[in-house]
Amino acid sequence: MEKDVLELITQALTEGRITEKVHQNEEYNKAKEEETRTYDLLTKDLTEDQKQRLDDYIDSMTWSAAIWEKLAYQQGMKDFLSLLISLS
């Protein structure tokens, strides 16, 4: 039950509030522009097959990073809840 509630809260917060805040952040937007520029430079001379393999790798890497970030966020929520309980 606890896992289901935490999963729902995490999903709601990351899909809404965090995403909105991140996209409003100037530093993030500059980093995304640099990411796009670097990717375009990297892939301009690749064959379609090479580009597809690179894209598959980036997708896999991004997915594992997203899972790590979700777990870290959930752990932070658990730690915060523990702190609140210990203070009461």
Side-chain angles (χ1 to χ4, degrees), residues 10-68:
T10 302
Q11 183 175 353
L13 292 175
T14 56
E15 287 180 358
R17 293 169 46 192
I18 292 175
T19 302
E20 182 181 326
K21 291 291 182 190
V22 166
H23 288 290
Q24 292 174 354
N25 183 280
E26 185 177 335
E27 183 179 13
Y28 171 80
N29 288 320
K30 285 181 181 178
K32 286 302 285 182
E33 288 173 9
E34 178 63 17
E35 177 186 315
T36 299
R37 187 192 69 72
T38 303
Y39 178 82
D40 290 345
L41 184 63
L42 175 66
T43 60
K44 73 177 184 175
D45 297 324
L46 296 180
T47 66
E48 283 304 312
D49 186 52
Q50 290 169 326
K51 186 173 181 257
Q52 185 60 53
R53 284 186 276 160
L54 176 62
D55 289 344
D56 291 345
Y57 168 74
I58 292 170
D59 288 345
S60 296
M61 186 176 62
T62 302
W63 181 244
S64 65
I67 292 169
W68 189 94

